[in-house]
Amino acid sequence: MQASIGDNTQQVMHSQTSQPQGLSKEEVRELLDQLKEIVRDSLMPESFKKKAESRLESVIHEVEEEETDKQLVGGNLKRVAEVFEDAGKAVESGTNLLGKVEPIFRKLLGWLGLAKGFFGFC
């Protein structure tokens, strides 16, 4: 952003994000596999686990398509994030669970080209 003040003065502001946008499909798949492992190893109730695993499978299938629809992936990942949030509210260890998944969701934000906060807890 640039703003001109007077005749000769300019102020230049740059905004940078720390979100990696150049993730390969293989790297995205590894991140999704990490999320699946966190779900499996978590103490969240079985109903939440099943819901999260099902939604993650939908994301994985779309990522593996030749032409990945990132908008669809983003929407489905948002639904996965909501399961983590709901599980976090339901169980005491939820704070720890969100702490484990937040860095993964942050990495995926950049790849999807989404704004910080899209998933709610990131």
Side-chain angles (χ1 to χ4, degrees), residues 84-113:
F84 282 112
E85 285 184 299
D86 292 344
K89 293 173 188 171
V91 293
E92 213 172 285
S93 63
T95 304
N96 188 31
L97 179 63
L98 290 176
K100 289 180 182 177
V101 300
E102 185 175 351
I104 297 169
F105 277 94
R106 284 183 185 267
K107 289 178 184 177
L108 293 169
L109 279 172
W111 180 73
L112 293 166

Side-chain angles (χ1 to χ4, degrees), residues 14-33:
H14 297 281
S15 175
Q16 293 181 324
T17 61
S18 61
Q19 300 170 354
Q21 295 182 10
L23 294 175
S24 68
K25 281 191 176 190
E26 292 78 21
E27 291 169 318
V28 170
R29 178 56 199 259
E30 288 174 20
L31 293 171
L32 297 173
D33 286 342

Side-chain angles (χ1 to χ4, degrees), residues 40-54:
R40 274 193 299 266
D41 295 343
S42 75
L43 299 175
M44 71 171 80
E46 199 62 35
S47 61
F48 287 104
K49 284 185 180 185
K50 286 181 181 179
K51 190 182 286 188
E53 288 173 346
S54 172

Side-chain angles (χ1 to χ4, degrees), residues 2 19 28 46 58 65 68 73 84 88 105 113-115 117:
Q2 294 182 353
Q19 300 170 354
V28 170
E46 199 62 35
S58 295
E65 290 289 325
T68 302
V73 170
F84 282 112
F105 277 94
L114 297 172

